[in-house]
Amino acid sequence: MKLKRSYFTGPSLDDLELFEEQLEGAGIATPQIHVLSLDDKSLAEHPHLHEVQSFMKQDVVHKSILGAVVGCGLSSTMLLMAFSFELVSTSAGWTPFVFLSVVILGFSAWLGGFIGIQTPNYKFARFEKILAEDRHVFFVDLEPDQEKILEQILKLHPNLDRAGTEDGPPHWLVSLQCKVGMIRHS
């Protein structure tokens, strides 16, 4: 089951911190809540805010997966060509071609990740203008039964603007983050 991600924008980190504290007080776990801001210095002054990790601000994972998909296509094409031109009937057989296909796949995934580390996360690209205006993006991943909690608390924060919804991460990933967080705090 996937969670539903709701985005909000706001001008004040103080208000977002209060919003996060109220959500957590109502039972929404910290790993479900994130704040994206270009003002890292001010964000550091609000230690309760759960900021987006710098790694996730980049498009490394997405571009690495795309690179791996391209690598699979290139590797498959190379193996098909080796078979079609009967290059595998030599004494070396399939070994050099399988090895080369693994190298092509690995290089393609690495190149995708290298490009991704230089690119903003595609999910956050739509907020570039808002972030440049010194506003902040707050997003929360909710289970269906938690959406009512969000709506009730949102009424207490008129300065927050809705900025859309989308499918969030899978439930198992957030559960794992919650369990790892409990282990660290023990």
Side-chain angles (χ1 to χ4, degrees), residues 13 35-40 43 52 57 131 135-137:
L13 287 174
V35 175
L36 177 65
S37 176
L38 295 181
D39 189 359
D40 291 334
L43 199 54
V52 174
K57 291 179 182 179
L131 292 168
R135 292 179 61 84
H136 315 283
V137 178

Side-chain angles (χ1 to χ4, degrees), residues 20-47:
E20 180 169 339
E21 289 170 357
Q22 290 170 334
L23 288 171
E24 290 171 347
I28 296 175
T30 302
Q32 292 177 255
I33 304 168
H34 304 278
V35 175
L36 177 65
S37 176
L38 295 181
D39 189 359
D40 291 334
K41 183 179 177 186
S42 293
L43 199 54
E45 295 170 2
H46 293 83

Side-chain angles (χ1 to χ4, degrees), residues 1-185:
M1 170 178 77
K2 282 198 167 204
L3 303 178
K4 181 180 173 184
R5 178 169 285 175
S6 296
Y7 290 96
F8 304 92
T9 62
S12 166
L13 287 174
D14 293 330
D15 193 30
L16 293 177
E17 188 169 38
L18 177 61
F19 189 43
E20 180 169 339
E21 289 170 357
Q22 290 170 334
L23 288 171
E24 290 171 347
I28 296 175
T30 302
Q32 292 177 255
I33 304 168
H34 304 278
V35 175
L36 177 65
S37 176
L38 295 181
D39 189 359
D40 291 334
K41 183 179 177 186
S42 293
L43 199 54
E45 295 170 2
H46 293 83
H48 193 125
L49 285 174
H50 187 224
E51 67 181 296
V52 174
Q53 297 172 352
S54 59
F55 178 77
M56 295 310 293
K57 291 179 182 179
Q58 309 310 90
D59 210 19
V60 177
V61 175
H62 180 244
K63 292 280 196 266
S64 294
I65 291 170
L66 289 178
V69 168
V70 168
C72 283
L74 292 173
S75 296
S76 298
T77 301
M78 190 273 307
L79 289 172
L80 184 61
M81 288 175 62
F83 179 74
S84 296
F85 293 123
E86 298 180 5
L87 298 174
V88 294
S89 60
T90 65
S91 61
W94 283 96
T95 304
F97 301 104
V98 170
F99 180 73
L100 181 59
S101 70
V102 170
V103 169
I104 289 171
L105 174 62
F107 179 76
S108 298
W110 173 84
L111 184 60
F114 184 71
I115 292 168
I117 205 162
Q118 303 170 46
T119 310
N121 189 316
Y122 76 103
K123 290 191 175 204
F124 303 145
R126 63 182 171 192
F127 298 117
E128 285 179 2
K129 183 179 176 187
I130 291 168
L131 292 168
E133 295 170 351
D134 292 329
R135 292 179 61 84
H136 315 283
V137 178
F138 184 98
F139 58 97
V140 59
D141 301 317
L142 299 171
E143 297 179 22
D145 62 330
Q146 294 176 322
E147 291 180 34
K148 291 178 184 175
I149 296 169
L150 174 69
E151 293 303 321
Q152 291 171 345
I153 296 173
L154 191 58
K155 291 175 186 175
L156 304 172
H157 299 274
N159 292 334
L160 296 182
D161 298 319
R162 290 183 186 272
T165 60
E166 66 184 13
D167 285 341
H171 176 76
W172 64 265
L173 181 61
V174 174
S175 295
L176 180 65
Q177 289 174 333
C178 290
K179 288 177 184 172
V180 168
M182 283 191 284
I183 292 169
R184 277 194 214 148
H185 292 109

